[in-house]
Amino acid sequence: MTAALLVIDVQNDFCPGGALAVPGGDEVVPKINALMTDFKEIILTQDWHPAGHSSFASEHPGKAPFETVEMEYGTQVLWPDHCVQGSHGGAFHPDLDTAPAHLIIRKGMSLKIDSYSAFFENDRATHTGLDGYLQTRGVTKLVMVGLATDFCVQFSALDAAKLGYRVTVRRDLCRAIDLDGSLAQAEVAMREAGVTLD
Ligand code: VGL
Ligand code: ZN
């Protein structure tokens, strides 16, 4: 059995001072770096939106960040412009040790579809390719850390569990946005899906 560490969206825009700052987002960086030494397989994800992405409130006249809209694929939360391709906000936190990573999965690159999960876009159908990569590398167990617990970490954990991986989320190495109780909901959903919450 091979375990992989999945480090989710530890990027400047999700850290204090960033466009969509997650409280304490930068606090997890040193401990994530330390945890990397326990893994032979390390994968990073990077939220990587084209300018004018449909998840940005600025693309929806009359709408403010954190309101929702109905998209073809379901309800979408609208966000401040964040993690634009090539921007400083889209770069990894400068202290994150990216050298040991085997693979960097970029997501949210389709203009019209957001992607919280490391496995599927928010249409729940379009693969990122991560599942194929993990299968061909013999990975069956995933430990997840990063930002944000209630969005990208949760969606990644639920998809991974559904795909048959054994999943552990290290809550001490994650931080949440927590919109209207979304963190508590995420924890219930992850537990129900058989995800281990450490
Ligand atoms: C995320 C909101 C929008 C995340 C990404 O990484 O959790 N949240 N884009
Ligand atoms: Zn995003």
Side-chain angles (χ1 to χ4, degrees):
M1 180 201 70
T2 304
L5 177 64
L6 189 62
V7 180
I8 298 179
D9 297 1
V10 180
Q11 293 167 257
N12 290 321
D13 269 343
F14 296 124
C15 290
L20 179 40
V22 179
D26 55 341
E27 293 167 5
V28 297
V29 173
K31 284 184 184 158
I32 291 175
N33 289 341
L35 186 62
M36 286 183 189
T37 59
D38 295 348
F39 286 83
K40 287 206 210 80
E41 183 80 54
I42 297 165
I43 297 140
L44 312 179
T45 69
Q46 190 170 25
D47 210 37
W48 198 245
H49 299 305
H53 191 252
S54 56
S55 75
F56 297 168
S58 58
E59 292 299 305
H60 302 265
K63 290 280 185 185
F66 311 110
E67 292 181 359
T68 58
V69 285
E70 294 308 314
M71 301 282 210
E72 266 168 44
Y73 54 80
T75 303
Q76 170 73 46
V77 180
L78 296 174
W79 305 106
D81 290 26
H82 66 279
C83 297
V84 172
Q85 295 170 5
S87 68
H88 172 77
F92 290 113
H93 186 286
D95 296 335
L96 183 72
D97 191 4
T98 60
H102 296 78
L103 177 73
I104 297 172
I105 288 275
R106 287 175 165 168
K107 59 187 184 58
M109 297 179 68
S110 304
L111 195 59
K112 300 280 175 213
I113 313 177
D114 205 3
S115 185
Y116 295 145
S117 166
F119 292 92
F120 295 100
E121 296 188 2
N122 283 9
D123 63 3
R124 322 305 305 139
T126 309
H127 279 266
T128 62
L130 180 57
D131 185 34
Y133 176 85
L134 294 173
Q135 283 192 38
T136 53
R137 299 280 288 173
V139 173
T140 53
K141 181 172 189 286
L142 290 167
V143 175
M144 298 193 186
V145 298
L147 310 172
T149 325
D150 40 348
F151 287 90
C152 291
V153 175
Q154 176 195 197
F155 276 66
S156 299
L158 295 179
D159 281 345
K162 212 176 293 164
L163 290 166
Y165 296 92
R166 287 179 47 203
V167 185
T168 297
V169 170
R170 283 281 304 268
R171 281 177 295 176
D172 56 327
L173 302 185
C174 295
R175 291 292 183 273
I177 296 174
D178 205 10
L179 281 182
D180 299 326
S182 57
L183 176 59
Q185 275 172 27
E187 291 192 346
V188 169
M190 288 192 281
R191 268 209 196 88
E192 280 176 355
V195 172
T196 302
L197 298 181
D198 268 5

